[in-house]
Amino acid sequence: MTTSHRTTDDDLVLNDPTHAEPLGHGNSPAAWTLVLLLLAGSLLAGVGMLADLFVLVIAGAVVAVAGLVAGFIMGKAGKGTKGHAEPARH
């Protein structure tokens, strides 16, 4: 059974030496950008549906897809929880 404890940074860390890195939980610029754009797109699409404005529904869908793309690109650019790609450890 693996136990856990809190570090000074209040990040959950497992007491297993193979998993000693703090968990990021998505708290990164890439994740925040993705979530904010998805929320904005959903809000636009929802308002468009209620107001019966097809153009606003399409605009919301475009914003949501842009959020997915932006989050993916920012993650690959090192703005995610992992940062830049690290070499594999053996």
Side-chain angles (χ1 to χ4, degrees):
M1 179 179 202
T2 305
T3 60
S4 63
H5 69 279
R6 296 276 177 183
T7 64
T8 56
D9 293 335
D10 207 28
D11 291 327
L12 183 64
V13 177
L14 299 176
N15 286 333
D16 184 0
T18 59
H19 297 98
E21 297 177 17
L23 301 175
H25 297 290
N27 192 10
S28 68
W32 280 104
T33 301
L34 179 129
V35 168
L36 289 175
L37 286 174
L38 280 177
L39 284 173
S42 298
L43 180 66
L44 280 174
V47 169
M49 286 180 198
L50 290 173
D52 201 21
L53 295 172
F54 188 66
V55 173
L56 203 54
V57 174
I58 296 299
V62 168
V63 170
V65 170
L68 291 171
V69 172
F72 178 77
I73 290 172
M74 288 178 72
K76 290 294 182 184
K79 299 292 185 183
T81 56
K82 294 280 185 186
H84 293 290
E86 298 177 9
R89 296 179 188 169
H90 295 280

